[in-house]
Amino acid sequence: MKRIAIYPGSFDPVTLGHVDVIKRAVRLFDEVIVAVAESRQKTPALSVEERVSLIKRAVKKVSRVRVESFNGLLVEYLKKKKAQAIIRGLRAISDFEYEFQMALMNRKLYPDAETVFLMPAEPYTYLSSSLVKEIVRLGGKVNCLVPDKVQAALNRKFRKKS
Ligand code: ADP
């Protein structure tokens, strides 16, 4: 049986922390599907198409990874993809409560799936998409924290608004 994992998130924008988690996940699974949530409620800075394309670019050289967008219930998407696991990243204790709640809720909705938590390499434990956006919004550089082209995409977005 092919072991398939889904790594869902907003990825607004993708950071090197996300990429680190993706690389760890492909060591454990035959295929990893990065599932970019449309997240209309969160009003993302980047469109879902932009987020998908930036991740595709970032994982171009990593084999067995697919990047797609999705909306609706994660567990339904898992069933459709015949995936057995959900990947989530854990950076600090502060992530734990929300992630724990989500994992147990998803288990309730679909008991056959397991949530697997992966910790990124240490330099990425303080890194979040919202912090990255805040830095760019204030005119700072995030090149060493995000994959290629992400800074440019955010610059375009925030310059347009100001
Ligand atoms: P969501 O809106 O679902 O929280 P995110 O894109 O913020 O979407 O995060 C997706 C997943 O990646 C979450 O499990 C989050 O904890 C994890 N994550 C975010 N940033 C990092 C990072 N720097 N290192 C490791 N995992 C991370």
Side-chain angles (χ1 to χ4, degrees), residues 7-11 17-18 21 42 88-89 91 95 99 120 124 127:
Y7 181 26
S10 315
F11 304 101
H18 293 127
V21 167
K42 285 194 178 176
R88 294 291 287 177
R91 286 160 292 184
D95 280 340
E99 294 293 342
Y124 306 131
L127 184 53

Side-chain angles (χ1 to χ4, degrees), residues 6-11 18 21 25 35 37 42 70 74 85-91 95 98-100 102-103 106 114-120:
I6 308 270
Y7 181 26
S10 315
F11 304 101
H18 293 127
V21 167
K42 285 194 178 176
F70 88 107
L74 177 63
I86 301 165
I87 303 287
R88 294 291 287 177
L90 267 191
R91 286 160 292 184
D95 280 340
Y98 173 71
E99 294 293 342
F100 183 65
M102 286 267 288
N106 281 327
E114 287 300 335
T115 301
V116 176
F117 292 104
L118 297 174
M119 284 167 290

Side-chain angles (χ1 to χ4, degrees), residues 9-160:
S10 315
F11 304 101
D12 184 43
V14 62
T15 68
L16 294 181
H18 293 127
V19 175
D20 182 279
V21 167
I22 294 169
K23 287 179 178 165
R24 289 174 197 280
V26 288
R27 290 196 210 132
L28 301 174
F29 292 91
D30 299 314
E31 184 176 5
V32 173
I33 304 174
V34 182
V36 182
E38 293 201 0
S39 304
R40 284 202 202 100
Q41 279 169 328
K42 285 194 178 176
T43 52
L46 301 173
S47 72
V48 72
E49 293 80 15
E50 288 172 302
R51 287 178 276 143
V52 165
S53 120
L54 289 168
I55 304 171
K56 278 189 177 162
R57 205 188 157 87
V59 298
K60 218 169 33 194
K61 293 194 181 129
V62 188
S63 53
R64 296 180 285 112
V65 180
R66 257 199 293 161
V67 188
E68 296 180 353
S69 63
F70 88 107
N71 51 37
L73 261 187
L74 177 63
V75 292
E76 293 308 319
Y77 186 71
L78 252 93
K79 288 177 196 168
K80 197 166 96 188
K81 298 290 166 183
K82 297 188 176 13
Q84 303 87 354
I86 301 165
I87 303 287
R88 294 291 287 177
L90 267 191
R91 286 160 292 184
I93 299 283
S94 53
D95 280 340
F96 183 76
E97 197 162 341
Y98 173 71
E99 294 293 342
F100 183 65
Q101 218 178 6
M102 286 267 288
L104 291 184
M105 186 50 78
N106 281 327
R107 177 181 283 169
K108 188 106 190 147
L109 297 173
Y110 185 30
D112 290 346
E114 287 300 335
T115 301
V116 176
F117 292 104
L118 297 174
M119 284 167 290
E122 266 166 57
Y124 306 131
T125 50
Y126 61 88
L127 184 53
S128 75
S129 299
S130 24
L131 212 54
V132 161
K133 280 184 283 192
E134 196 53 28
I135 296 169
V136 177
R137 202 176 277 134
L138 297 170
K141 290 215 178 355
V142 290
N143 286 318
C144 56
L145 308 173
V146 293
D148 212 24
K149 305 282 182 203
V150 172
Q151 168 102 49
L154 290 175
N155 282 346
R156 273 197 303 276
K157 204 57 58 168
F158 294 131
R159 218 175 289 148
K160 228 186 270 172

